[in-house]
Amino acid sequence: MEAIFTFMAERWPFMAAILIAVTLTVFVCKWHYGRYIQTEKKADDNEKRINTLPCTKHEKEISRIRDYLLAKYPKAFGEYELKKSPRELSEEGRKLFSDIGGASFLEANGAKLLDMIAKENPKTPFDVEQLSFDSLFNHLNDSMFNRIKRWVYYCPVRKLMVDGKEQNSEVTIYDVCFVLSIPLRDLYLDRHPELTMD
């Protein structure tokens, strides 16, 4: 035992340095690992929040804001609609509808979207038009939109004729929802002719 104490006493500076180095290494590893765990937890929380979209808590407020903006800025979809009532797709709107595969999208998902509109019990064609857009826009996180969202993401700038002048225009997901909403509105009204009677 005395030999051990003598050995330690002779080499204590070296052993103290090793002990300090080991202690510091453990402390730094715990600190760094703790930060990593917190970052990972935040990422998991964010992913959970994203996966619960769309948030229905503020759906009415979002709809009111969108309706206000569309009323205040009626040219929001101007390139894709004819200036008439009821709204109809312009030549550019029909071209965009064709480019995104709108007919096959509505054929595959129309029943689901029409059910969403029906649940809101629209009373007028105007309600149907608004709800057609809402049923699309409020469910963009649904997997039925994956192909179209990829198309929008990679879509190059388009050349559009606006008031007789050629302009560059980027297609947005809002434009896509609009050009899908008009044929969807017509599908619903075809199935509910009572709404178009005075």
Side-chain angles (χ1 to χ4, degrees), residues 53-154:
L53 291 175
C55 171
T56 54
K57 185 177 178 184
H58 302 290
E59 196 170 293
K60 287 184 180 176
E61 289 83 355
I62 291 169
S63 287
R64 274 193 229 116
I65 291 167
R66 187 176 57 253
D67 293 345
Y68 170 78
L69 290 172
L70 287 173
K72 190 162 178 67
Y73 303 102
K75 293 186 178 180
F77 306 115
E79 301 127 4
Y80 300 109
E81 69 171 314
L82 293 173
K83 293 173 174 61
K84 61 181 293 186
S85 184
R87 286 177 165 181
E88 287 183 22
L89 296 180
S90 66
E91 184 179 337
E92 291 295 345
R94 290 191 298 275
K95 185 173 184 323
L96 179 58
F97 182 79
S98 173
D99 290 348
I100 62 173
S104 60
F105 174 84
L106 290 178
E107 188 176 319
N109 304 293
K112 182 177 181 179
L113 293 163
L114 292 171
D115 286 345
M116 291 176 194
I117 297 169
K119 282 179 186 170
E120 298 298 322
N121 195 22
K123 304 287 191 291
T124 68
F126 180 81
D127 298 333
V128 174
E129 187 171 287
Q130 295 262 297
L131 290 167
S132 296
F133 185 87
D134 290 350
S135 69
L136 295 156
F137 182 79
N138 291 337
H139 296 88
L140 286 173
N141 277 343
D142 192 297
S143 59
M144 66 179 161
F145 282 100
N146 288 350
R147 180 188 58 78
I148 288 178
K149 287 192 288 190
R150 280 190 207 95
W151 186 92
V152 171
Y153 184 80
Y154 291 108

Side-chain angles (χ1 to χ4, degrees), residues 28-40:
V28 168
C29 287
K30 284 180 83 174
W31 173 76
H32 185 70
Y33 184 70
R35 286 181 56 208
Y36 172 76
I37 290 295
Q38 286 178 345
T39 304
E40 194 175 59

Side-chain angles (χ1 to χ4, degrees), residues 181-197:
S181 73
I182 300 302
L184 181 61
R185 173 204 67 189
D186 295 342
L187 276 173
Y188 190 90
L189 291 174
D190 286 347
R191 295 183 185 196
H192 297 273
E194 71 279 4
L195 292 176
T196 57
M197 296 176 188

